[in-house]
Amino acid sequence: MVSAAHMFDPEPLPAPPAARETDDPARLDPADWDEFRAQAHRMLDDMVDFLAGVRSRPVWQPVPDDVKRRLLEPVPTGPTPLARVYDDFRELILPYATGNIHPGFLGWVHGSGTPTGMLAEMLAAAMNANVGGRDHGAVYVERQVIEWCRTLFGFPEGASGVLVTGTSMANLIGLLVARTAKLGVGSREDGIGAAGRRLVAYCSTAAHGCIAKAMEMAGLGTGALRRIAVDDHHRIDVAALAAAIASDRANGLTPFLVVGTAGTVDIAAIDDLGALADLCGREHVWFHVDGAFGAMARLSAELAPRLAGIERAHSLAFDFHKWLHVPYDAACILVRDGAAHARAFASSAPYLAREPRGLAAGAPWFCDYGPDLSRGFRALKVWFTLKEFGTERLGAAVLRNCRLARYLADRVGATAELELLAPVQLNIVCFRYTHPGLSDDALDGLNADIVADVQESGIAAPSTTRLDGKLAIRVNITNHRTDEATLEALLAAVVARGKAREPGAAPRLAALFRRITRLLPVR
């Protein structure tokens, strides 16, 4: 019998003779580590240069047809040297990125990332940890991140959380926890049945489309989702919500979930979260908050009061990869009642036994709080970001984006050709180019063309939305690199392209726009 002391004898065993990659084609480590190290340094240096030089490039450019064709090559059956694979990346992929790291990316709510986040991704990839469970360092990092978030959002001790791909998944998890809490844990075995079909949920007409998709995936259907009207500031009408709940109860239905929004996708409106918490408390309904990007306003002392009531939510979903500037993907779901969270997902199997000691210790595992057993080490880049910058500096970046939005709104108001279409509440500005005598339909087409023109110019990348039946140019400011000059370049390009596309505009105006786009700084 081998003694325990002998099992931990520090004397190393003799290593077998090393085989080179060329000797054993089944080995996947480099044949020459020094050569690999040199290539790795080249790649890292190039990516640092890529980030440092972001302002000198167009925000976005279309992928040429020949590049698309080359990216449809057959599956490789033989090896290709790493250096050549990397050259293909630099030629075919890197120049045609989404552009969200650029300060002129002003459309969809995409985070901008940080250089440190890039390095954290590299470290996490080298560890290649599965954070579904077991007892290892990555698990404790994610627990630390969850605890930080619990504290930041005022959730009580005993609250639980788990990192996921994005707020769409986090919202689905929140809905499933609410459904199980209402129907009982037996519904996991028996299905939702007739009782499930009687459940109804509520959100505003301005809520993100992932809420309806979550209802579909939960087996409840969008017919069980009540979309409640909003007020002039796009906040859910709490009185109308209360009336809808009362009506459904009177008709024999079972209200189980209200979804409040902290930062609507169109104009960044924040529902009255305190009033929603009060209503849900009276009605014994689960209160979930979709705080995809708006929840991070909590980091700013000036903005945090607008989120009053968020700490009373039963569950809260938010992204790290938006206003915390963590590289994609990383989001979080917090649940006030950790036991209720586990009842919705925890399961066991002989091959996944939780042990009191050894690598299989460390219960509960993160797979007990969501659908995934295989989970990457997302928490490391969040951990690095919070430790390097701290909440005060990150909150200052959030506040600066909001101040830039107010600056842009003032500039729109001072520009005769432009019209503000919605009040600015956080970091989103919606406006349009106007022209006397054009119908709303004609202005819709004009503004859609302006947005596409500006995107293709490489100066900026706004997006569009529709408000009160009008197509709006939507400018979202989530990037920590965006500044006043970025916004001035955007406005100049919008006005120039609008004039060039006005009815009867002379061809010289189109030429003028092309000259302006060449002269404006690519920021």
Side-chain angles (χ1 to χ4, degrees):
M1 179 175 180
V2 180
S3 69
H6 184 72
M7 289 174 63
F8 292 95
D9 191 333
E11 184 69 26
L13 295 173
R20 290 179 54 85
E21 180 74 16
T22 52
D23 301 326
D24 183 358
R27 291 182 67 242
L28 301 180
D29 279 336
D32 186 329
W33 281 102
D34 289 336
E35 180 181 309
F36 176 82
R37 187 189 307 275
Q39 179 63 34
H41 279 295
R42 178 195 172 198
M43 294 162 74
L44 179 59
D45 286 343
D46 285 353
M47 291 304 100
V48 171
D49 289 343
F50 179 74
L51 293 176
V54 64
R55 296 175 184 274
S56 65
R57 298 190 302 273
V59 178
W60 171 84
Q61 54 185 341
V63 183
D65 288 340
D66 68 309
V67 170
K68 295 177 183 178
R69 285 192 294 271
R70 290 179 63 185
L71 289 172
L72 292 174
E73 66 181 0
V75 60
T77 56
T80 304
L82 174 60
R84 191 180 305 167
V85 176
Y86 177 59
D87 287 342
D88 284 348
F89 164 79
R90 292 185 64 197
E91 179 187 357
L92 304 177
I93 301 169
L94 189 60
Y96 309 107
T98 307
N100 50 297
I101 69 169
H102 195 288
F105 187 92
L106 301 167
W108 304 267
V109 189
H110 288 191
S112 51
T114 65
T116 296
M118 175 186 72
L119 296 178
E121 284 277 68
M122 179 186 71
L123 300 177
M127 290 182 66
N128 195 29
N130 180 353
V131 198
R134 303 180 181 86
D135 194 31
H136 53 103
V139 168
Y140 290 92
V141 173
E142 185 160 343
R143 287 179 180 169
Q144 176 72 86
V145 168
I146 295 297
E147 176 63 15
W148 286 341
C149 292
R150 183 192 69 79
T151 303
L152 285 171
F153 290 105
F155 272 47
E157 291 189 13
S160 59
V162 65
L163 269 60
V164 293
T165 54
T167 296
S168 294
M169 176 57 76
N171 284 330
L172 173 61
I173 289 175
L175 186 151
L176 293 173
V177 176
R179 186 193 69 181
T180 303
K182 179 60 69 173
L183 297 180
V185 71
S187 63
R188 293 180 58 185
E189 179 177 353
D190 300 333
I192 57 176
R197 288 194 295 272
R198 298 173 66 83
L199 295 182
V200 286
Y202 308 83
C203 67
S204 81
T205 54
H208 196 280
C210 69
I211 304 301
K213 188 177 291 187
M215 290 290 287
E216 295 171 357
M217 290 189 286
L220 300 174
T222 54
L225 179 64
R226 308 289 188 257
R227 296 174 174 86
I228 308 301
V230 295
D231 63 17
D232 292 342
H233 286 74
H234 286 228
R235 298 170 301 198
I236 192 169
D237 185 328
V238 180
L241 170 62
I245 291 174
S247 175
D248 283 333
R249 286 198 193 282
N251 288 309
L253 301 177
T254 304
F256 84 106
L257 172 70
V258 168
V259 179
T261 302
T264 60
V265 69
D266 278 331
I267 67 168
I270 301 173
D271 288 336
D272 187 339
L273 303 179
L276 291 179
D278 290 340
L279 176 62
C280 290
R282 292 193 302 270
E283 296 290 344
H284 303 289
V285 172
W286 189 279
F287 177 35
H288 174 78
V289 174
D290 175 2
F293 65 96
M296 286 302 166
R298 180 97 171 186
L299 301 179
S300 164
E302 181 175 318
L303 299 172
R306 304 186 192 184
L307 296 169
I310 199 169
E311 72 284 351
R312 299 169 60 192
H314 292 102
S315 52
L316 168 64
F318 56 92
D319 284 323
F320 296 115
H321 56 226
K322 290 188 171 77
W323 244 350
L324 205 68
H325 310 295
V326 169
Y328 277 87
D329 54 38
C332 183
I333 174 72
L334 291 180
V335 179
R336 172 174 296 274
D337 183 346
H341 191 177
R343 282 195 293 271
F345 290 100
S347 61
S348 62
Y351 50 86
L352 295 175
R354 278 67 158 168
E355 303 293 350
R357 54 189 291 268
L359 182 55
W365 294 1
F366 279 113
C367 62
D368 293 331
Y369 297 108
D372 297 322
L373 175 60
S374 298
R375 303 177 62 253
F377 193 6
R378 295 186 183 94
L380 187 63
K381 54 193 173 185
V382 182
W383 185 82
F384 260 89
T385 299
L386 286 167
K387 285 183 70 73
E388 181 187 17
F389 298 113
T391 57
E392 291 183 1
R393 188 170 174 186
L394 291 165
V398 169
L399 180 60
R400 183 168 181 268
N401 284 163
C402 294
R403 288 176 173 169
L404 284 171
R406 292 196 291 271
Y407 170 86
L408 177 60
D410 289 343
R411 292 288 293 114
V412 167
T415 305
E417 297 87 355
L418 303 178
E419 174 189 10
L420 194 66
L421 293 181
V424 174
Q425 302 191 50
L426 279 177
N427 62 323
I428 295 177
V429 184
C430 291
F431 64 97
R432 68 174 178 174
Y433 185 89
T434 62
H435 179 70
L438 288 182
S439 67
D440 280 339
D441 286 345
L443 285 174
D444 285 353
L446 174 61
N447 279 275
D449 284 336
I450 289 171
V451 167
D453 288 344
V454 172
Q455 289 172 352
E456 290 172 352
S457 76
I459 293 170
S463 63
T464 62
T465 191
R466 192 165 288 276
L467 299 173
D468 299 323
K470 300 174 183 178
L471 187 134
I473 299 173
R474 178 180 171 279
V475 173
N476 156 75
I477 306 173
T478 312
N479 195 312
H480 59 86
R481 301 180 179 102
T482 303
D483 55 18
E484 289 86 351
T486 307
L487 302 179
E488 291 294 342
L490 164 73
L491 288 178
V494 166
V495 172
R497 194 56 193 155
K499 288 184 177 297
R501 282 192 172 273
E502 285 180 357
R508 63 183 179 82
L509 288 177
L512 175 62
F513 171 74
R514 288 192 293 271
R515 288 199 296 273
I516 289 174
T517 57
R518 285 196 297 270
L519 293 172
L520 285 171
V522 175
R523 300 186 64 84

